[in-house]
Amino acid sequence: MTSTGIRLHAPAPGWSISADVVVVGSGVAGLTAALRCEAAGLTTVVVTKARLDDGSTRWAQGGIAAALGEGDTPEQHLDDTLVAGAGLCDEEAVRILVTEGPDAVRRLIETGAHFDESSEGGLELTREGGHHRRRIAHAGGDATGAEISRALVEAVRARGVRTVENALVLDLLTDADGRTAGVTLHVMGEGQHDGVGAVHAPAVVLATGGMGQVFSATTNPSVSTGDGVALALRAGAEVSDLEFVQFHPTVLFLGSDAEGQQPLVSEAVRGEGAHLVDADGVRFMLGQHELAELAPRDIVAKGIMRRMQEQDTEHMFLDARHFGAEMWEHRFPTILAACRANGIDPVTEPVPVAPAAHYASGGVRTDSHGRTTVPGLYACGEVACTGVHGANRLASNSLLEGLVYAERIAADIADSRAADGLDARVPAPVEHPERPAHPLLGAEARFAIQRIMTDGAGVLRSAESLEKAADQLQRLHAEARDALDENGKTAEPGVDTWEATNLLCVARVLVAAARLREETRGCHWREDHAERDDTNWHRHIVVRLNPDRTLAVHTTDTADFPPTRQHQQEQ
């Protein structure tokens, strides 16, 4: 796979540093990869968009899933994951996850993460949707992500890993042979560096998180603008399964006009016995699935949306009044505080909830070692598509996937460097083009994109809604392109315009894939194709960016992931 030659319009780098590895992102995936690379003797630089602890990991409430409980096995965890993935999981990738997961969690504990313990002294495990056993380890009741982030950040700082905070990564640098040679980035006025610079390295690990900000309402933080997927596409990498966006069923409903990051009401609340009810107090999930409120997330989200349509209302309710004040305060203090801050007391009243964009099951396509289709470029965590999640992520598998595949990436990079010799030189990047190859959108386009995507490619999709979304997105794309072609002008380079441009890129890919997949599967719900169609759609959709900025879209022959180019070369 060769580079597209497309880069964001940005000043040429005014400074540079060199390393063996640059890790982009500071969630569980990025920091784990960095720590393992550093432990292997590799000079490692972590680049993160805000502060080290500001990624999506810190917002994870429920926990981390692994077969750690008595009577539980990796095979049972695998079965639950495959069922949730609705026929599109890569079984090898899932087997790696569930077999390596328990020891990876134990290593996380050794790193310094403290999980809640039972009165007997073992891990206190809970259940979430789609799991048939209690296998979710949690911390601080409902603050698991915050604890994992704290432990990893402390470890990174204690070991002296070099970090560049408040830095938006722009594009991948490649050498004359198309191999990874580092990244360009813009540091937002703090720390040692300022403005656009470069980190030169033969290995780049994308761990940039999700793209939830492509929708108006999401559980994702404001930094989740699809930067990693957009960078990978411009670099010539393939992305897969981007149509499978998981909408978390129970997000605190703050009104139909609420935008940006919304408070999550963790699945663990249902795992501990909360009920989904309508305005009349009827438990509408009973009879819809054997697990009722604990069915996989796509099924619960669909159940909520159907009931909302039937009753012409904007939300349902989560009723956990029977927990009592003590349990709310001990087990779910974060959620309790968020609800009360918005004028709702779950101790005495049901909580209004509605689905909101939560997690991208698809992303940059990788093999079992996290290698993408671009040599030297790796991806892990939410930005990646390893094949683990299929058409719908099983609850609390995300932190585990980041942990397991980050360790595998670090091992592969260490092995590659050992084979090349640790003193192997950093490849020289191709010169920065003088003329920008990619026009920038104005900052205001971000809100237009979010409205387009929410209306046309949200929980409920149809040929009509997706066609309208595609036309509106193409109009934005064409306006920016025509302005550049006619007078050489584009929006002023800056964080807001780079983010808007990245959002448009991932939105176009998502809509293209969603239009092509004419079925309902997992978290992709087509009203005009209401059934799962294994005859025609038991396969993956793969997209790459052409040099002229059009999209090349194709489907795989089967549900198996094709090997990446790097994997093929090893055979």
Side-chain angles (χ1 to χ4, degrees), residues 124-335:
E124 184 180 60
L125 303 174
T126 190
R127 276 183 69 194
E128 292 187 2
H131 293 273
H132 282 78
R133 284 193 175 271
R134 286 183 170 265
R135 64 168 67 98
I136 317 299
H138 50 84
D142 59 357
T144 308
E147 170 57 19
I148 290 173
S149 181
R150 179 206 61 78
L152 291 174
V153 168
E154 285 189 7
V156 162
R157 287 176 173 154
R159 296 178 194 180
V161 179
R162 187 169 187 174
T163 62
V164 182
E165 297 181 275
N166 301 296
L168 172 63
V169 167
L170 302 175
D171 281 302
L172 189 75
L173 294 171
T174 53
D175 66 12
D177 298 322
R179 292 191 58 85
T180 292
V183 292
T184 55
L185 65 159
H186 174 77
V187 181
M188 294 171 259
E190 297 182 30
Q192 284 180 266
H193 306 288
D194 194 8
V196 174
V199 181
H200 297 147
V204 171
V205 182
L206 293 179
T208 51
M211 55 184 192
Q213 290 291 326
V214 79
F215 295 97
S216 296
T218 177
T219 62
N220 290 188
S222 62
V223 294
S224 297
T225 51
D227 307 320
V229 171
L231 175 150
L233 282 163
R234 290 192 294 272
E238 294 181 348
V239 303
S240 185
D241 298 356
L242 221 62
E243 69 272 29
F244 296 117
V245 176
Q246 187 175 82
F247 286 77
H248 197 289
T250 54
V251 176
L252 187 62
F253 181 75
L254 301 179
S256 57
D257 57 348
E259 294 183 338
Q261 186 177 10
Q262 311 289 301
L264 177 67
V265 182
S266 169
E267 199 142 347
V269 178
R270 281 174 281 139
E272 296 292 352
H275 302 143
L276 279 167
V277 299
D278 60 20
D280 298 322
V282 176
R283 287 182 64 188
F284 56 88
M285 285 304 298
L286 292 176
Q288 293 198 37
H289 190 277
E290 61 167 335
L291 296 175
E293 286 94 349
L294 285 176
R297 288 178 176 174
D298 64 308
I299 294 171
V300 179
K302 290 170 188 174
I304 291 174
M305 293 299 295
R306 287 193 187 101
R307 197 64 156 197
M308 285 164 54
Q309 287 177 324
E310 291 168 5
Q311 298 190 340
D312 191 25
T313 184
E314 295 180 314
H315 63 82
M316 289 286 110
F317 292 95
L318 190 64
D319 192 351
R321 289 174 289 180
H322 54 286
F323 284 5
E326 184 177 350
M327 181 173 175
W328 268 109
E329 290 165 3
H330 168 71
R331 182 67 179 84
F332 300 111
T334 307
I335 299 170

Side-chain angles (χ1 to χ4, degrees), residues 1 42 69 86 100 120 225 292 297 335 368 445 482 488 529 545:
M1 185 66 63
L42 300 171
E100 297 182 10
E120 290 80 28
T225 51
R297 288 178 176 174
I335 299 170
S368 61
D482 294 345
H529 296 280
L545 192 63

